[in-house]
Amino acid sequence: MASTGVGDVDVGVRITGVPATVDPNTVVSGTIEFSNVGTLDAAGMSYQVMISDNTVSLDDLAFTSLPPGVSVSFDPIGGVVTLSGMPTILTQGMVLSLPFTYTGPITESATIPVTASISTTDADANPDNDSDAASTDITFGSAASLDLTLTATCVQDAPDIQYDAPPVGFTLTTLATVELVGARVRRPR
């Protein structure tokens, strides 16, 4: 791999593949890549990753492929990912890829942030690429819909009268109000 770095040591991190929006209860995947594109090895490496925060718990976060010797633990409440066994020296041209998946919460109106950072004890030629962030909004898409058929029976004033309303269809991005105005009134026999 040819170096495209801007100096002797140039460590960086990139988050890729994280979708901007998904429906609730959808599997989300992405990749965190730590790299050194400089011309020399980087020493004294430190890596930080957070997936989610203290507002949404992710119980099934999984890293699907880890570099040899690397293990992961995860605090599902706080979102802190602890990486054990990561190299303390990131050699010139080295890229560590950490693909992950999780299932979004069942409820909508949540945002799952993913943040990562990297640092070295060496002089970093380009510290602007030492952190990255992405997020996924959990929300129902416009394709979700609900169809209703309504039959109401008066129980207090006239228990022998039923009201039938025509079927009502709407998407979750529009508001539907069902009124019994003009509904057919029928008396059970």
Side-chain angles (χ1 to χ4, degrees), residues 1 36-38 40 90-95:
M1 173 182 198
N36 177 10
V37 296
L40 297 176
L90 200 55
T91 59
Q92 181 273 326
M94 185 176 211
V95 177

Side-chain angles (χ1 to χ4, degrees), residues 135-168:
S135 64
T136 299
D137 290 331
I138 310 297
T139 183
F140 285 108
S142 61
S145 67
L146 181 63
D147 292 320
L148 297 176
T149 300
L150 174 68
T151 299
T153 302
C154 290
V155 291
Q156 188 171 19
D157 296 332
D160 60 337
I161 297 178
Q162 282 188 327
Y163 298 91
D164 290 331
V168 177

Side-chain angles (χ1 to χ4, degrees), residues 13 15 32 34 48-50 114-118 130-133:
V13 63
I15 299 171
I32 300 167
F34 295 105
Q48 293 81 36
V49 174
M50 285 192 70
V114 178
T115 60
S117 63
I118 188 171
D130 290 357
S131 64
D132 200 8

Side-chain angles (χ1 to χ4, degrees), residues 73 83 100 106 134:
S73 62
L83 303 168
F100 63 88
I106 294 174

Side-chain angles (χ1 to χ4, degrees), residues 35-103:
S35 63
N36 177 10
V37 296
T39 58
L40 297 176
D41 295 349
M45 297 306 307
S46 178
Y47 313 86
Q48 293 81 36
V49 174
M50 285 192 70
I51 299 179
S52 189
D53 52 25
N54 62 359
T55 60
V56 177
S57 175
L58 299 177
D59 296 324
D60 70 339
L61 174 68
F63 284 84
T64 56
S65 176
L66 292 170
V70 174
S71 63
V72 173
S73 62
F74 176 63
D75 173 6
I77 305 282
V80 175
V81 176
T82 303
L83 303 168
S84 301
M86 293 287 280
T88 58
I89 295 176
L90 200 55
T91 59
Q92 181 273 326
M94 185 176 211
V95 177
L96 300 172
S97 183
L98 307 172
F100 63 88
T101 64
Y102 66 85
T103 303

